[in-house]
Amino acid sequence: MQAQPLIAVKDVQASSLWYQRICGLQSGHGGPDYEQLTFNGSMVLQLHHWDVHDHPHLGNPQSKPYGNGVVLWFQTDALDAAVKRVINFKAVV
């Protein structure tokens, strides 16, 4: 079994680029509404635009606080390299 988390985002393409640059993931699908991000050929994360496909279970982006009680994190053996990428891309964490 392998987890395949899906998170709702405001901008799928910008979010995908962030995960690619910072986490070293690769685009496995691409597009403005939905993305599958992979690592070493396995899907590790899905991104879905808030406002498409009428998926009310993704949450309401107008309601605050956002989220449904989910915490998402990635583990890496190369933390120093990941921090360097965050600094180089001036990413917001």
Side-chain angles (χ1 to χ4, degrees):
M1 181 182 303
Q2 179 180 340
Q4 298 177 340
L6 182 145
I7 58 174
V9 297
K10 182 178 176 182
D11 187 329
V12 170
Q13 293 172 311
S15 298
S16 175
L17 187 57
W18 191 94
Y19 283 102
Q20 290 177 58
R21 287 180 173 171
I22 302 307
C23 298
L25 303 182
Q26 296 83 40
S27 173
H29 184 276
D33 297 336
Y34 176 76
E35 168 72 288
Q36 293 178 354
L37 291 162
T38 64
F39 186 77
N40 290 337
S42 295
M43 183 171 53
V44 296
L45 180 63
Q46 301 172 80
L47 305 173
H48 197 288
H49 194 280
W50 279 108
D51 298 326
V52 298
H53 305 137
D54 193 31
H55 290 306
H57 59 279
L58 292 178
N60 180 352
Q62 303 307 314
S63 175
K64 292 183 182 177
Y66 301 131
N68 297 314
V70 175
V71 177
L72 179 67
W73 70 87
F74 293 88
Q75 180 176 334
T76 179
D77 293 330
L79 181 60
D80 291 338
V83 169
K84 187 179 273 189
R85 289 191 299 272
V86 168
I87 293 167
N88 288 343
F89 288 113
K90 297 181 175 109
V92 177
V93 178

